[in-house]
Short mmCIF file of all heavy atoms in Angstrom, two decimals:
data_model
loop_
_atom_site.label_atom_id
_atom_site.label_comp_id
_atom_site.label_asym_id
_atom_site.label_seq_id
_atom_site.Cartn_x
_atom_site.Cartn_y
_atom_site.Cartn_z
N HIS A 2 -55.64 -194.67 49.19
CA HIS A 2 -56.75 -193.88 48.66
C HIS A 2 -57.80 -194.79 48.05
O HIS A 2 -57.61 -195.99 47.91
CB HIS A 2 -56.22 -192.88 47.62
CG HIS A 2 -55.34 -191.81 48.21
ND1 HIS A 2 -55.83 -190.64 48.73
CD2 HIS A 2 -54.00 -191.76 48.35
CE1 HIS A 2 -54.82 -189.90 49.17
NE2 HIS A 2 -53.70 -190.55 48.96
N SER A 3 -58.92 -194.19 47.69
CA SER A 3 -60.01 -194.95 47.06
C SER A 3 -60.10 -194.60 45.58
O SER A 3 -61.10 -194.86 44.94
CB SER A 3 -61.34 -194.64 47.76
OG SER A 3 -61.57 -193.25 47.74
N ASP A 4 -59.03 -194.01 45.06
CA ASP A 4 -58.93 -193.64 43.65
C ASP A 4 -57.45 -193.62 43.28
O ASP A 4 -56.59 -193.66 44.16
CB ASP A 4 -59.53 -192.24 43.42
CG ASP A 4 -61.01 -192.29 43.07
OD1 ASP A 4 -61.37 -193.08 42.17
OD2 ASP A 4 -61.80 -191.55 43.68
N PRO A 5 -57.12 -193.51 41.98
CA PRO A 5 -55.71 -193.46 41.60
C PRO A 5 -54.93 -192.38 42.33
O PRO A 5 -55.42 -191.26 42.54
CB PRO A 5 -55.78 -193.17 40.09
CG PRO A 5 -57.05 -193.83 39.66
CD PRO A 5 -58.00 -193.61 40.81
N VAL A 6 -53.71 -192.75 42.73
CA VAL A 6 -52.81 -191.83 43.44
C VAL A 6 -52.06 -191.00 42.40
O VAL A 6 -51.44 -191.55 41.50
CB VAL A 6 -51.82 -192.62 44.32
CG1 VAL A 6 -50.85 -191.68 45.03
CG2 VAL A 6 -52.58 -193.49 45.33
N THR A 7 -52.12 -189.67 42.53
CA THR A 7 -51.58 -188.79 41.49
C THR A 7 -50.24 -188.17 41.86
O THR A 7 -49.52 -187.71 40.98
CB THR A 7 -52.58 -187.67 41.16
OG1 THR A 7 -52.97 -187.01 42.37
CG2 THR A 7 -53.83 -188.24 40.50
N ALA A 8 -49.89 -188.13 43.14
CA ALA A 8 -48.58 -187.58 43.54
C ALA A 8 -48.17 -188.15 44.89
O ALA A 8 -49.01 -188.39 45.76
CB ALA A 8 -48.62 -186.06 43.60
N VAL A 9 -46.86 -188.36 45.04
CA VAL A 9 -46.28 -188.81 46.31
C VAL A 9 -44.91 -188.18 46.48
O VAL A 9 -44.16 -188.06 45.51
CB VAL A 9 -46.09 -190.34 46.39
CG1 VAL A 9 -47.39 -191.06 46.66
CG2 VAL A 9 -45.41 -190.89 45.15
N SER A 10 -44.58 -187.76 47.69
CA SER A 10 -43.20 -187.32 47.93
C SER A 10 -42.90 -187.30 49.42
O SER A 10 -43.81 -187.34 50.26
CB SER A 10 -42.92 -185.95 47.31
OG SER A 10 -43.77 -184.98 47.86
N PHE A 11 -41.61 -187.24 49.73
CA PHE A 11 -41.13 -187.16 51.11
C PHE A 11 -40.95 -185.70 51.51
O PHE A 11 -40.77 -184.84 50.65
CB PHE A 11 -39.78 -187.86 51.25
CG PHE A 11 -39.84 -189.36 51.21
CD1 PHE A 11 -39.73 -190.04 50.00
CD2 PHE A 11 -39.97 -190.10 52.38
CE1 PHE A 11 -39.76 -191.42 49.96
CE2 PHE A 11 -40.01 -191.48 52.35
CZ PHE A 11 -39.90 -192.15 51.14
N ASN A 12 -40.94 -185.45 52.82
CA ASN A 12 -40.54 -184.12 53.30
C ASN A 12 -39.01 -184.04 53.34
O ASN A 12 -38.33 -185.00 52.99
CB ASN A 12 -41.18 -183.82 54.67
CG ASN A 12 -40.66 -184.73 55.76
OD1 ASN A 12 -40.15 -185.82 55.51
ND2 ASN A 12 -40.81 -184.30 57.00
N HIS A 13 -38.48 -182.89 53.79
CA HIS A 13 -37.05 -182.63 53.63
C HIS A 13 -36.16 -183.53 54.48
O HIS A 13 -34.98 -183.70 54.16
CB HIS A 13 -36.72 -181.15 53.90
CG HIS A 13 -36.69 -180.78 55.34
ND1 HIS A 13 -37.84 -180.67 56.09
CD2 HIS A 13 -35.67 -180.52 56.19
CE1 HIS A 13 -37.52 -180.34 57.33
NE2 HIS A 13 -36.21 -180.25 57.42
N ASP A 14 -36.68 -184.11 55.56
CA ASP A 14 -35.83 -185.02 56.35
C ASP A 14 -36.24 -186.49 56.21
O ASP A 14 -35.67 -187.36 56.87
CB ASP A 14 -35.79 -184.59 57.83
CG ASP A 14 -37.14 -184.71 58.52
OD1 ASP A 14 -38.13 -185.18 57.89
OD2 ASP A 14 -37.23 -184.32 59.70
N GLY A 15 -37.21 -186.75 55.34
CA GLY A 15 -37.57 -188.13 55.04
C GLY A 15 -38.45 -188.82 56.05
O GLY A 15 -38.69 -190.02 55.94
N THR A 16 -38.96 -188.07 57.04
CA THR A 16 -39.79 -188.69 58.08
C THR A 16 -41.26 -188.81 57.68
O THR A 16 -41.98 -189.64 58.23
CB THR A 16 -39.70 -187.89 59.39
OG1 THR A 16 -40.07 -186.54 59.13
CG2 THR A 16 -38.29 -187.95 59.97
N LEU A 17 -41.69 -187.98 56.72
CA LEU A 17 -43.09 -187.97 56.31
C LEU A 17 -43.22 -188.19 54.81
O LEU A 17 -42.33 -187.85 54.03
CB LEU A 17 -43.75 -186.62 56.64
CG LEU A 17 -43.77 -186.17 58.10
CD1 LEU A 17 -44.37 -184.77 58.20
CD2 LEU A 17 -44.55 -187.16 58.96
N ILE A 18 -44.35 -188.77 54.43
CA ILE A 18 -44.72 -188.91 53.02
C ILE A 18 -46.05 -188.19 52.84
O ILE A 18 -46.95 -188.31 53.69
CB ILE A 18 -44.87 -190.40 52.63
CG1 ILE A 18 -43.53 -191.11 52.68
CG2 ILE A 18 -45.52 -190.56 51.25
CD1 ILE A 18 -43.63 -192.63 52.60
N VAL A 19 -46.18 -187.45 51.75
CA VAL A 19 -47.48 -186.86 51.42
C VAL A 19 -47.97 -187.51 50.14
O VAL A 19 -47.18 -187.79 49.23
CB VAL A 19 -47.40 -185.32 51.29
CG1 VAL A 19 -46.51 -184.89 50.13
CG2 VAL A 19 -48.80 -184.71 51.15
N SER A 20 -49.27 -187.78 50.07
CA SER A 20 -49.85 -188.35 48.85
C SER A 20 -51.16 -187.64 48.56
O SER A 20 -51.80 -187.09 49.46
CB SER A 20 -50.11 -189.86 49.01
OG SER A 20 -51.10 -190.10 49.99
N CYS A 21 -51.55 -187.64 47.29
CA CYS A 21 -52.87 -187.13 46.93
C CYS A 21 -53.43 -188.00 45.83
O CYS A 21 -52.70 -188.76 45.18
CB CYS A 21 -52.83 -185.66 46.52
SG CYS A 21 -52.00 -185.35 44.96
N ALA A 22 -54.74 -187.88 45.61
CA ALA A 22 -55.38 -188.80 44.68
C ALA A 22 -56.60 -188.16 44.02
O ALA A 22 -57.02 -187.06 44.37
CB ALA A 22 -55.78 -190.08 45.40
N MET A 23 -57.14 -188.91 43.09
CA MET A 23 -58.35 -188.46 42.41
C MET A 23 -59.56 -188.46 43.32
O MET A 23 -60.61 -187.94 42.95
CB MET A 23 -58.59 -189.33 41.16
CG MET A 23 -57.54 -189.10 40.10
SD MET A 23 -57.89 -190.00 38.58
CE MET A 23 -56.45 -189.53 37.60
N ASP A 24 -59.43 -189.04 44.52
CA ASP A 24 -60.52 -188.97 45.50
C ASP A 24 -60.55 -187.60 46.19
O ASP A 24 -61.41 -187.34 47.02
CB ASP A 24 -60.43 -190.09 46.54
CG ASP A 24 -59.11 -190.10 47.31
OD1 ASP A 24 -58.35 -189.11 47.23
OD2 ASP A 24 -58.85 -191.09 48.01
N GLY A 25 -59.60 -186.74 45.85
CA GLY A 25 -59.58 -185.38 46.40
C GLY A 25 -58.92 -185.27 47.76
O GLY A 25 -58.84 -184.18 48.31
N LEU A 26 -58.44 -186.39 48.29
CA LEU A 26 -57.83 -186.36 49.62
C LEU A 26 -56.32 -186.17 49.54
O LEU A 26 -55.68 -186.66 48.61
CB LEU A 26 -58.11 -187.66 50.38
CG LEU A 26 -59.57 -188.06 50.57
CD1 LEU A 26 -59.65 -189.34 51.41
CD2 LEU A 26 -60.36 -186.95 51.23
N ILE A 27 -55.79 -185.46 50.53
CA ILE A 27 -54.35 -185.39 50.73
C ILE A 27 -54.08 -186.12 52.04
O ILE A 27 -54.73 -185.85 53.05
CB ILE A 27 -53.88 -183.92 50.84
CG1 ILE A 27 -54.18 -183.16 49.55
CG2 ILE A 27 -52.39 -183.85 51.20
CD1 ILE A 27 -54.06 -181.66 49.69
N ARG A 28 -53.12 -187.05 52.01
CA ARG A 28 -52.81 -187.79 53.23
C ARG A 28 -51.33 -187.64 53.57
O ARG A 28 -50.49 -187.62 52.68
CB ARG A 28 -53.16 -189.26 53.08
CG ARG A 28 -54.66 -189.54 52.98
CD ARG A 28 -54.91 -191.03 53.15
NE ARG A 28 -56.24 -191.45 52.76
CZ ARG A 28 -57.30 -191.48 53.55
NH1 ARG A 28 -57.18 -191.08 54.81
NH2 ARG A 28 -58.46 -191.90 53.11
N ILE A 29 -51.08 -187.56 54.87
CA ILE A 29 -49.70 -187.50 55.36
C ILE A 29 -49.42 -188.76 56.16
O ILE A 29 -50.21 -189.15 57.03
CB ILE A 29 -49.48 -186.23 56.20
CG1 ILE A 29 -49.64 -185.02 55.27
CG2 ILE A 29 -48.10 -186.23 56.84
CD1 ILE A 29 -49.82 -183.73 55.96
N TRP A 30 -48.30 -189.40 55.84
CA TRP A 30 -47.95 -190.70 56.40
C TRP A 30 -46.64 -190.61 57.16
O TRP A 30 -45.74 -189.87 56.77
CB TRP A 30 -47.77 -191.73 55.27
CG TRP A 30 -48.91 -191.77 54.30
CD1 TRP A 30 -49.10 -190.95 53.22
CD2 TRP A 30 -50.02 -192.68 54.32
NE1 TRP A 30 -50.26 -191.30 52.57
CE2 TRP A 30 -50.84 -192.34 53.21
CE3 TRP A 30 -50.39 -193.73 55.16
CZ2 TRP A 30 -52.03 -193.03 52.94
CZ3 TRP A 30 -51.55 -194.41 54.88
CH2 TRP A 30 -52.37 -194.06 53.78
N ASP A 31 -46.53 -191.41 58.20
CA ASP A 31 -45.26 -191.61 58.88
C ASP A 31 -44.44 -192.57 58.02
O ASP A 31 -44.85 -193.71 57.80
CB ASP A 31 -45.51 -192.20 60.27
CG ASP A 31 -44.23 -192.38 61.06
OD1 ASP A 31 -43.42 -193.24 60.66
OD2 ASP A 31 -44.02 -191.67 62.04
N ALA A 32 -43.30 -192.12 57.53
CA ALA A 32 -42.53 -192.92 56.57
C ALA A 32 -42.02 -194.22 57.21
O ALA A 32 -41.91 -195.25 56.54
CB ALA A 32 -41.35 -192.11 56.03
#
């Protein structure tokens, strides 16, 4: 992100990560 990251977690099978930040974006990552 381009701002502090405020939350991160995995999905139920651990294949994805979700993050959000003060930049207002939510991103989904391949773990």
Side-chain angles (χ1 to χ4, degrees):
H2 292 273
S3 56
D4 269 311
V6 178
T7 53
V9 283
S10 61
F11 286 90
N12 66 338
H13 77 287
D14 66 3
T16 55
L17 301 176
I18 293 168
V19 64
S20 66
C21 69
M23 292 185 181
D24 58 12
L26 303 183
I27 298 166
R28 292 193 194 271
I29 295 164
W30 310 83
D31 183 291

